[in-house]
C-alpha cells in the first residue's frame, strides 16, 4: 500500500506540474528575473528591414487562394521586399495554374505528392532572402505580422520567431472551438513567459520564421515540421522568440471528431520528435532550453497521459482502503476524478445534441487531447501515420478571432 501511495503522489505531481505547475514556476522565475533586473536587453538596429520570402507549402488550396494572396499583398511591410513562394506538389484541383495569374507569386509544382516536408526541403533551395516566413494556405495573417516578426530578428541571437495562432470564435462555440480557443490562450501565455526566460519551445506552423542560413533539411517522414525545424535552430545556439502581435487566424475544427484527427497526428509527431531530439534531453549541454523542453513538451507527450490513466485504478484502491465514502484525501481525490470525467462525458453528450455549455467542453477537450496521445502512440509504433496531411473540416467564418 505504501508503494501505491508513493506512485500515486508521483503521478499526481507530474500531471499537475506538466499542466499547471510549470506555468506557476515559470511565472515565479520571470518575476524574480525582473526584480533582479535580469531582463534581456540588446541594441536594436531599427533600420533592419530585410527582404523576406513568404513560403507556403500547399496542397489543393483552390478555395483559399484569393484570400491568401490578397492578404499577403496587403501586409504592412514594403511590398518590394516581400517574395511569395508557393510549393504545390501533388495539387490536382487547379491550384498551381490559378496561382500563376497573380503577379509576384513564384510557383513550384510537381505532380507527385510526397508530403509537406518534402515540399519544404525542395522549395528552400529557391529562397534567396535573409528571412523566410512559413505560413499555411488557409490562414489569414494580421496586417503587421511581418513587421512584428522582423522586429524580433533585430536581436542577432534570435534564430526563429513564432507567431501566434488565433482561433475564430463564434457566439456559441462547439466543443472543439471552445476548448481549442481556451487551450491556445493558455499556451500563448506560457510562450510569452518561455520567451522571456530564454526561448520558446517550438514554433506554430501557421506562422513562423527563421534566418534562412539556419535552415537544416528535415527527414522526409517528419510529422511535425514546424517543431523540428524550430527546435534544431534553437539547438544551434539561437533562441526562438514569440510575438503574439504577429498572428495567423484560422477557423476551429468543425467538431471534436475532426479536432481529434489533428491531435492524433500531432501526438504521433510529438513522440517522433522526442525520439529524434533525444540529445535535447541533456540538460547539462542545453541547460535552460532542455528544462523548458522537458517541462513544456516532453512530459505532455510521454509520462503525463499515462500517469493520468494509471491514476484512476491506483486512486480507487487507495480510496477503498481508506473508505471510499469517507472524507479522506484519497476518497475526495477519487470522487474529484469521477466528477471530472463525468463532466467530459456530459460535454460529449451535449455536443452531439448541439447544446452549448462551454464549461463542460473544457474537460471534454482535455480528455480528447490525452486520448490523442494514446492513439498517436499506436500510430507511431505501427508507422501508420502518413506524412501527408489530411485536411480537417473547419467551422464557419466567425466575427471575432480569439487567441
Amino acid at each position: 500500500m505504501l508503494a501505491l501511495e508513493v506512485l500515486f503522489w508521483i503521478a499526481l505531481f507530474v500531471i499537475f506540474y506538466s499542466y499547471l505547475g510549470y506555468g506557476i514556476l515559470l511565472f515565479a522565475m520571470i518575476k524574480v528575473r525582473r526584480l533582479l533586473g535580469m531582463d534581456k536587453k540588446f541594441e536594436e538596429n531599427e533600420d533592419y528591414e530585410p527582404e523576406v520570402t513568404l513560403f507556403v507549402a500547399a496542397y489543393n488550396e483552390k478555395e483559399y487562394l484569393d484570400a491568401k494572396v490578397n492578404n499577403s499583398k496587403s501586409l504592412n511591410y514594403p511590398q518590394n521586399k516581400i517574395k511569395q513562394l508557393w510549393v504545390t506538389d501533388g495539387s490536382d484541383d487547379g491550384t498551381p495554374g490559378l496561382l500563376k495569374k497573380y503577379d509576384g507569386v513564384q510557383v513550384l509544382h510537381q505532380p507527385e505528392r510526397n508530403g509537406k516536408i518534402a515540399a519544404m526541403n525542395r522549395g528552400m533551395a529557391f529562397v534567396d532572402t535573409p528571412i523566410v516566413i512559413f505560413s499555411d494556405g488557409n490562414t489569414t495573417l494580421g496586417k503587421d505580422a511581418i513587421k512584428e516578426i522582423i522586429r524580433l530578428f533585430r536581436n542577432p541571437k534570435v534564430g526563429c520567431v513564432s507567431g501566434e495562432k488565433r482561433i475564430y470564435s463564434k457566439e456559441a462555440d462547439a466543443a472543439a472551438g471552445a476548448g481549442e480557443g481556451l487551450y491556445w490562450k493558455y499556451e500563448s501565455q506560457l510562450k510569452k513567459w518561455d520567451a522571456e526566460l530564454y526561448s520558446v519551445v517550438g514554433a506554430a506552423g501557421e506562422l513562423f520564421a527563421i534566418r534562412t542560413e539556419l535552415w537544416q533539411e528535415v527527414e522526409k517522414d517528419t510529422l511535425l515540421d514546424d517543431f523540428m525545424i524550430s527546435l534544431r535552430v534553437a539547438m544551434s545556439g539561437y533562441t526562438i522568440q514569440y510575438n503574439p502581435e504577429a498572428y495567423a487566424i484560422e477557423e476551429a475544427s468543425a467538431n471534436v471528431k475532426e479536432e481529434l484527427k489533428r491531435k492524433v497526428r500531432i501526438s504521433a509527431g510529438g513522440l517522433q520528435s522526442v525520439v529524434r531530439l533525444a540529445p535535447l534531453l541533456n540538460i547539462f549541454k542545453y541547460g535552460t532550453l532542455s528544462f523548458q523542453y522537458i517541462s513544456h513538451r516532453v512530459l505532455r507527450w510521454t509520462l503525463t497521459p499515462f500517469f493520468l490513466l494509471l491514476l484512476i485504478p491506483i486512486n480507487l484502491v487507495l480510496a477503498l482502503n481508506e473508505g471510499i465514502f469517507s472524507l479522506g484525501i484519497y476518497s475526495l481525490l477519487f470522487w474529484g476524478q469521477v466528477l471530472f470525467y463525468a463532466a467530459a462525458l456530459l460535454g460529449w453528450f451535449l455536443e452531439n445534441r448541439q447544446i452549448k455549455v462551454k464549461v463542460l467542453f473544457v474537460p471534454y477537450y482535455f480528455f480528447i487531447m490525452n486520448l490523442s496521445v494514446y492513439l498517436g502512440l499506436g500510430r507511431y509504433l505501427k508507422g501508420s501515420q502518413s506524412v501527408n496531411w489530411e485536411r480537417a473540416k473547419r467551422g464557419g467564418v466567425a466575427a471575432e478571432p480569439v487567441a
Side-chain angles (χ1 to χ4, degrees):
M1 198 60 66
L2 178 60
L4 279 181
E5 288 190 57
V6 171
L7 184 57
F8 174 83
W9 288 109
I10 290 174
L12 192 62
F13 172 78
V14 171
I15 293 165
F16 174 79
Y17 177 76
S18 62
Y19 285 111
L20 293 174
Y22 174 62
I24 294 169
L25 177 60
L26 198 54
F27 176 72
M29 293 172 75
I30 293 300
K31 284 291 186 183
V32 170
R33 286 175 62 88
R34 290 175 184 171
L35 287 171
L36 295 177
M38 297 172 64
D39 298 23
K40 291 176 288 187
K41 292 181 176 66
F42 66 94
E43 285 189 21
E44 279 197 23
N45 175 7
E46 294 185 4
D47 296 326
Y48 186 65
E49 197 176 69
E51 285 190 315
V52 302
T53 296
L54 279 179
F55 189 118
V56 182
Y59 172 71
N60 286 354
E61 299 282 11
K62 179 180 177 180
E63 60 188 291
Y64 296 102
L65 296 186
D66 274 331
K68 181 66 177 180
V69 173
N70 291 329
N71 170 241
S72 299
K73 288 179 177 293
S74 70
L75 298 177
N76 184 18
Y77 197 78
Q79 284 298 311
N80 63 333
K81 293 187 176 183
I82 301 176
K83 296 183 178 182
Q84 289 195 53
L85 175 62
W86 288 66
V87 186
T88 60
D89 294 356
S91 292
D92 55 9
D93 68 341
T95 291
L98 290 171
L99 277 170
K100 289 176 182 176
K101 74 178 184 180
Y102 298 100
D103 292 332
V105 176
Q106 183 180 4
V107 184
L108 302 177
H109 177 72
Q110 63 180 22
E112 298 81 14
R113 185 187 181 196
N114 295 315
K116 182 179 179 182
I117 191 60
M120 293 174 78
N121 283 335
R122 190 169 79 87
M124 280 301 295
F126 295 85
V127 175
D128 58 3
T129 59
I131 304 293
V132 56
I133 302 172
F134 300 102
S135 178
D136 290 341
N138 63 344
T139 58
T140 301
L141 304 188
K143 194 167 185 65
D144 292 325
I146 296 180
K147 182 180 175 182
E148 291 295 331
I149 283 173
I150 295 303
R151 186 168 62 81
L152 295 187
F153 276 118
R154 291 172 182 169
N155 183 344
K157 293 181 180 178
V158 174
C160 174
V161 176
S162 175
E164 180 175 86
K165 172 184 175 180
R166 296 189 179 182
I167 303 298
Y168 275 118
S169 129
K170 293 179 246 187
E171 246 177 66
D173 270 324
E180 194 179 356
L182 287 170
Y183 170 76
W184 278 104
K185 279 184 179 179
Y186 179 58
E187 276 298 298
S188 177
Q189 188 58 61
L190 286 184
K191 286 178 180 179
K192 290 175 188 174
W193 291 337
D194 270 333
E196 188 171 347
L197 180 66
Y198 177 66
S199 174
V200 179
V201 190
E206 289 76 15
L207 177 61
F208 77 104
I210 66 168
R211 296 186 189 275
T212 305
E213 62 184 320
L214 299 179
W215 167 262
Q216 299 176 50
E217 280 208 5
V218 181
E219 297 86 343
K220 291 182 180 179
D221 62 342
T222 298
L223 300 174
L224 294 185
D225 51 89
D226 48 359
F227 190 75
M228 292 292 293
I229 292 166
S230 56
L231 260 295
R232 282 179 171 165
V233 167
M235 290 171 73
S236 299
Y238 293 81
T239 68
I240 306 167
Q241 290 302 302
Y242 173 66
N243 191 340
E245 296 306 312
Y247 60 85
I249 307 170
E250 71 173 31
E251 299 163 13
S253 301
N255 51 51
V256 172
K257 182 180 178 182
E258 291 300 318
E259 179 64 5
L260 181 59
K261 284 183 191 176
R262 197 174 71 86
K263 288 290 185 189
V264 168
R265 181 189 175 87
I266 290 172
S267 296
L271 293 165
Q272 180 192 62
S273 300
V274 169
V275 172
R276 290 186 174 172
L277 296 175
L280 191 50
L281 299 175
N282 184 352
I283 200 164
F284 298 104
K285 181 176 181 180
Y286 293 102
T288 303
L289 181 63
S290 288
F291 160 70
Q292 294 178 297
Y293 172 61
I294 293 167
S295 299
H296 197 163
R297 297 298 183 193
V298 177
L299 288 178
R300 290 194 193 181
W301 284 331
T302 56
L303 290 180
T304 300
F306 298 100
F307 275 149
L308 274 168
L309 194 62
L310 195 61
L311 202 65
I312 301 169
I314 293 176
N315 199 173
L316 176 59
V317 171
L318 294 173
L320 287 169
N321 182 64
E322 181 182 61
I324 198 163
F325 295 110
S326 70
L327 294 178
I329 184 67
Y330 295 115
S331 175
L332 291 174
L333 288 171
F334 173 74
W335 288 113
Q337 284 196 77
V338 171
L339 183 62
F340 180 85
Y341 289 111
L345 181 63
L346 185 56
W348 166 79
F349 177 82
L350 292 176
E351 198 228 356
N352 284 338
R353 281 152 184 76
Q354 298 186 340
I355 300 172
K356 316 298 181 184
V357 183
K358 276 192 178 184
V359 71
L360 296 175
F361 290 156
V362 174
Y364 180 27
Y365 187 78
F366 179 84
F367 173 78
I368 289 297
M369 280 176 59
N370 286 284
L371 174 62
S372 71
V373 176
Y374 307 124
L375 299 176
L377 174 62
R379 287 195 187 181
Y380 173 65
L381 292 176
K382 289 189 291 185
S384 60
Q385 177 62 62
S386 171
V387 72
N388 294 326
W389 281 101
E390 179 184 346
R391 184 189 297 282
K393 295 176 183 176
R394 295 285 174 179
V397 175
E400 186 179 342
V402 171

